[in-house]
Every structure is written in C-alpha cells, then in structure tokens.
C-alpha cells in the first residue's frame, strides 16, 4: 500500500492531454519571441510641410526601425558639410580602402587602392546607392566606419533626430542601427535647408561611371509630378523604405514610408500620402488633372543639370524677408508696382552680388513676365553658418510667375515659383 501511494503521488514526466495545446502555441510563438522586435519590418509613415514643419500625416512616426539605405542621407549630409567648410572640394580624391572594396551590393565595383572624386561619390550614393562608395566616404572622412558612425549619430542628435542611432555609413544590416519616420523627415528637411546649393543633385535620374549608366532607384522622379528627391532604402528586416520630397504650386512637402511590401506598393502608397499632404494645403494641388508648371515637370522628369561652380540655384522656398536690393535690370526698370502675391526664385548664393546679378539676368531673359515685379535679395541665416542670399523677383501674378519659369527653364536657368506672404517695400540697391 505504501508503494502504491508513493507512485500515485509522483508527478508524471509525460505531458498530459490538457497541456498539449499550450505547448503547441508556445512552439509556434518561440521563434518570434527570440527575434528582437526591431528586426520585424514595421509600417510607419509621416508627411510634413517642409517650410513650416507642420505635420500633415503621421502613423507610427516614432517607432524605431531599420533605415536601410536611407542612412546614406546622413552620409551625404556630412559630405556636403565637408564641401561647405572647404575641407573637401568636388574634385577631392577619396582613396578606396580594402574594407570599402569588400562591401556587398549594391556597389559600384571599386577596387582597394583606387580613388574616386567627391562628386563621383555623391552621385553614386544618390543614384546607385553604392555601399562601397558610402564606406569610402566614411574611411576618408573619419578613418573608419565606427568613427564615422559616431559622427553621424552626433549630427543626428544635433539636428533633432532624437531616436536615431547609426552604426555604419551605408545602412547595411546592423541590429543597433535604427531610426524613425519622423527623424528621417527631419533629416530630409535639414538637407534642404542647410545645403540648398547641393540639393538639386537628388533629382538626378541617372549617373554615368566608367562607361556604365546607373538609374536612380527613386522611381517617383518619373511617376509623381514635382518630385525632386530624396532616397530609397531596402533590407529584408526593414521592408521597402522611401523618403520623398515634392513641390507643387510653390509648396514643398516631405513624405516618409517605412516597411513597404514591395517597391511598387511603397511608391503607390507614397503618392497617396503626398496627394493627401498637398490636399491639406490646397485641394487643387492634389487633383488627378493637376497641371504643373514647367519647373515642376523638369524636376520630375529630367536629369539633374550638369555640375557648375559652387553657387547653384536653390529649390527651397523660404519665408519672405525685408527687401535687400532693387536696380535697373538688363535695360528694363522693374516698376516696383506689381501687386501680385507671387514671385520667382532663380538662385541662392553665399554672396549678395551674384544673387542680384542672377535676378537681373532672369528679368533680361523673360522681360514680358518679370519687368513689372521688383528684385529682392533675401538672406537666409541658419545658426552660425554663412547666410545664403536668394535672388528673387516679386510682385507677380501666379500666371506671370509660372510663365516666367517656363521661359527661364528653356534657357537653362533654374527657376521656382513661390507665393509671397505680403507685398514688400522697394529698397534702393545700396540698402
């Protein structure tokens, strides 16, 4: 009897029928529980007004996920910063390290010991999204990936990307390299505002290197009118990512999508989000029959202009400021009597004189539409950076602005229509 009682009270090591369903559920869940949450592709989207920072749409905007090749936006930011400071020029030769040459695709096929110019590197990142080029920049900038990633993360914190950590220059998989849709929108806006003279390169449809032509992965440049940037990204853990910027009717918005199911699905969804954003600003801008200006058509459908010296036209609209200069222009005296609430911007420079000269040239090239306006050089100051001087002709009607840009674009002058917030007083050329 004692032996029987002892066996009866001893627990069995075999699972009972009641436990089998629970064990089955745990077996199914265990693989997911062992994978870090950040490694699961998450959907997130975000749309903002680029000028004001106003949020137009947000879903999971602060959820951390892998940025993939969106990372290269920060690599380009630091490259532009090196150009701006004079540390590098477009012709500076960057030496390819052995580690850079070993990076997996997408790659340009660089060999250890060879060199490429900064300009080649920039265009290869924007279009081909070449990982070997990103690593080359990292090694030449900071001595290696780890040191460069520390600089990237510090810069991210400085411009307000509070939930972003970088661990490499390219966006190749790393468990601790994470960002958010909101942070990536902030980075796109920083590229626009801090480097307007370089931003136009993001609209390049293709890039040629050693006899090969590489198409830009950002298909919205061809399919969504007004798009002029910014960057695509994909690794298996992130899904299909995209940061896009588009201008319509003088308004610029920035959109971000994380975790798309495919490149085509992501692009379609981004177009929907951009339409929603433009509709919030002005329903006419999101119509399916929206008729763009020539400038917007060029931004969406043409390659970036050939490189020119340091001073490039800036596509970024900014708030109107006090008039800086007015003068006779190419034989035409701007009347200063234009009462329209529109204008055009034809250049942004680090000195006032070239901005003024470009505005004069614009009036001379399109006098029928610009002679009734007035010239204004609008300074844009950001922190301790040198101010940018933007050449503008204001006091126009919307029709005059659009037609003027059509003429100027045909004559290879970058032009952007913009809406003035108020009529400005005319100042003398020496003011």
């Amino acid at each position: 009897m004692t032996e029987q009682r002892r066996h009866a009270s001893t627990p069995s090591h075999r699972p009972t029928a009641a436990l089998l369903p629970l064990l089955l559920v745990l077996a199914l869940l265990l693989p997911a529980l062992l994978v870090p949450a950040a490694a699961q592709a998450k959907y997130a989207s975000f749309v903002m007004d680029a000028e004001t920072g106003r949020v137009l749409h947000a879903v999971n905007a602060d959820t951390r996920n892998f940025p993939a090749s969106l990372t290269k936006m920060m690599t380009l930011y630091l490259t532009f910063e090196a150009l701006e400071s004079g540390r590098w020029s477009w012709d500076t030769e960057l030496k390819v390290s052995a580690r850079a040459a070993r990076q997996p695709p997408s790659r340009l096929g660089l060999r250890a010991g060879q060199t490429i110019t900064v300009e080649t590197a920039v265009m290869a990142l924007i279009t081909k999204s070449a990982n070997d080029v990103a690593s080359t920049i990292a090694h030449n900038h900071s001595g290696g990936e780890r040191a460069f990633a520390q600089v990237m993360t510090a810069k991210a914190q400085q411009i307000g990307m509070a939930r972003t950590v970088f661990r490499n220059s390219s966006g190749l998989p790393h468990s601790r390299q994470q960002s958010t849709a909101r942070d990536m929108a902030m980075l796109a806006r920083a590229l626009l505002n801090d480097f307007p003279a370089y931003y136009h390169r993001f609209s390049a449809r293709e890039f040629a290197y050693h006899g090969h032509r590489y198409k830009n992965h950002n298909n919205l440049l061809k399919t969504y009118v007004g798009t002029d940037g910014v960057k695509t990204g994909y690794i298996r853990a992130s899904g299909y990512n995209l940061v896009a910027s588009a201008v319509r009717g003088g308004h610029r918005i920035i959109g971000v999508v994380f975790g798309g199911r495919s490149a085509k699905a992501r692009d379609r969804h981004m177009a929907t989000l951009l339409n929603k954003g433009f509709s919030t600003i002005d329903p006419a801008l999101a119509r399916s029959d929206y008729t763009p200006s020539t400038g917007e058509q060029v931004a969406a459908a043409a390659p970036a202009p050939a490189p020119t010296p340091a001073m490039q036209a800036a596509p970024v609209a900014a708030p109107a400021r006090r008039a800086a200069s007015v003068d006779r222009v190419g034989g035409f005296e701007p009347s200063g009597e234009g009462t329209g609430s529109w204008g055009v911007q034809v250049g942004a420079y680090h000195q006032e004189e070239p901005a003024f000269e470009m505005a004069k040239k614009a009036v001379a090239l399109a006098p029928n539409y610009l002679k009734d306006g007035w010239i204004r050089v609008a300074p844009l100051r950001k922190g301790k950076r040198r101010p940018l001087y933007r050449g503008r002709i204001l006091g126009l009607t919307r029709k005059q602005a659009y037609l003027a840009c059509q003429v100027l674009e045909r004559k290879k002058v970058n032009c952007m229509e913009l809406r003035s917030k108020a009529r400005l007083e005319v100042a003398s050329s020496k003011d």
Side-chain angles (χ1 to χ4, degrees), residues 132-151:
D132 50 355
V133 173
S135 187
T136 295
I137 290 174
H139 281 76
N140 283 266
H141 185 283
S142 303
E145 288 280 357
R146 183 174 182 179
F148 189 68
Q150 291 174 343
V151 177

Side-chain angles (χ1 to χ4, degrees), residues 200-339:
H200 72 284
R201 292 175 179 269
F202 285 101
S203 66
R205 291 268 301 278
E206 59 182 28
F207 157 69
Y209 179 71
H210 283 186
H212 297 281
R213 303 195 76 84
Y214 302 98
K215 293 183 179 180
N216 197 318
H217 295 170
N218 184 1
N219 289 319
L220 259 68
L221 293 171
K222 298 180 292 184
T223 61
Y224 191 87
V225 174
T227 303
D228 57 8
V230 177
K231 190 74 187 70
T232 62
Y234 170 80
I235 57 175
R236 186 177 301 175
S238 72
Y240 291 84
N241 301 342
L242 174 62
V243 176
S245 180
V247 179
R248 287 186 175 183
H251 297 281
R252 178 182 292 279
I253 63 176
I254 296 167
V256 182
V257 169
F258 270 60
R261 296 187 306 275
S262 68
K264 289 184 178 180
R266 173 200 64 194
D267 293 348
R268 287 194 299 268
H269 185 53
M270 178 62 81
T272 299
L273 293 177
L274 293 176
N275 280 338
K276 178 180 179 181
F278 280 124
S279 182
T280 301
I281 296 172
D282 182 350
L285 299 178
R287 294 196 316 257
S288 60
D289 62 342
Y290 173 72
T291 302
S293 69
T294 300
E296 290 169 344
Q297 289 171 342
V298 168
T308 57
M311 296 178 292
Q312 299 280 355
V316 185
R321 306 201 182 188
R322 186 180 63 86
S325 26
V326 161
D327 200 355
R328 292 185 61 87
V329 182
F332 294 91
E333 177 81 37
S335 70
E337 298 175 357
T339 58

Side-chain angles (χ1 to χ4, degrees), residues 65-75 129 131 152 166 168-174 177-179 184 231-242 258 266:
N65 202 350
F66 297 129
S69 284
L70 302 186
T71 297
K72 295 182 176 81
M73 292 165 59
M74 180 56 80
T75 300
S129 196
N131 295 323
M152 295 171 75
F166 292 111
N168 60 51
S169 61
S170 60
L172 286 168
H174 190 294
Q177 180 144 305
Q178 299 175 3
S179 188
M184 280 296 158
K231 190 74 187 70
T232 62
Y234 170 80
I235 57 175
R236 186 177 301 175
S238 72
Y240 291 84
N241 301 342
L242 174 62
F258 270 60
R266 173 200 64 194

